[in-house]
Amino acid sequence: MSASLIYDLAPIGSIVVWSDGTPRPPERHRKKLAAWGNRNSKGRLIRKQGKRGIGNANLSPDFTLHEGDFGGNGVITIRIHRTFSLASSPTFKVIERPQLGHIRVFDRAGDNAELVHFAAHREAAEEWLTRHGYPNAVLEEVTADEVAADHVEGRGAA
């Protein structure tokens, strides 16, 4: 699937894998394997941004995937996000879609909101918010209409 199809069809909260099409090197080739891993990975879709302008420059639409966190003792020190333009060359595949009743926690309302947490139910989302500083957070439930639209339009997880 192309980057533009991910932008158009994948709901926020989906797990997306991307690949450049090259085969995975053997484990013994650590440097080659690390380089391959930078071009072939997966992440949760956390943001979609439409076309926007900054000064005289126009930025094309893009989407951002949260690839992972690094830290220790319950403290996240580095977050890995990957942003892809619609002209990106990797191939993408949605391997997991948000399930009915799950709660998306966005950092703020509006078009440029970013998913900061994905919870199994509202109580878990509210409990998470009490421990994290997002005063303008917005909770959004995955609805039956959204899940049904995926099935009607043939957008299964695989």
Side-chain angles (χ1 to χ4, degrees):
M1 160 179 280
S2 69
S4 61
L5 285 174
I6 293 294
Y7 183 86
D8 290 340
L9 302 177
I12 298 291
S14 297
I15 303 292
V16 177
V17 296
W18 69 91
S19 174
D20 66 355
T22 59
R24 180 185 171 100
E27 293 292 325
R28 68 181 183 274
H29 297 287
R30 286 188 234 142
K31 288 183 181 179
K32 288 180 182 179
L33 188 58
W36 180 88
N38 283 329
R39 300 182 316 271
N40 300 272
S41 192
K42 70 178 179 178
R44 186 174 299 277
L45 181 61
I46 62 169
R47 179 177 28 188
K48 296 179 184 181
Q49 288 186 301
K51 186 175 180 181
R52 58 210 179 279
I54 298 176
N56 290 335
N58 287 320
L59 302 174
S60 66
D62 60 40
F63 60 90
T64 302
L65 301 175
H66 175 231
E67 189 174 359
D69 295 329
F70 291 98
N73 299 327
V75 177
I76 297 170
T77 55
I78 298 174
R79 290 206 123 124
I80 308 298
H81 290 174
R82 300 266 181 145
T83 300
F84 296 94
S85 74
L86 300 191
S88 294
S89 61
T91 56
F92 298 88
K93 183 177 181 181
V94 175
I95 60 169
E96 182 182 316
R97 292 180 175 277
Q99 296 178 8
L100 177 64
H102 280 180
I103 304 294
R104 298 176 184 109
V105 180
F106 291 97
D107 61 347
R108 62 185 173 273
D111 291 336
N112 291 325
E114 181 177 300
L115 182 72
V116 292
H117 186 66
F118 195 63
H121 48 80
R122 183 165 295 277
E123 293 78 24
E126 290 171 350
E127 190 275 329
W128 183 88
L129 273 175
T130 62
R131 294 181 286 114
H132 297 82
Y134 289 95
N136 299 320
V138 175
L139 302 179
E140 179 184 285
E141 184 174 353
V142 177
T143 64
D145 290 342
E146 183 179 344
V147 172
D150 286 345
H151 291 294
V152 168
E153 296 173 11
R155 297 187 303 216

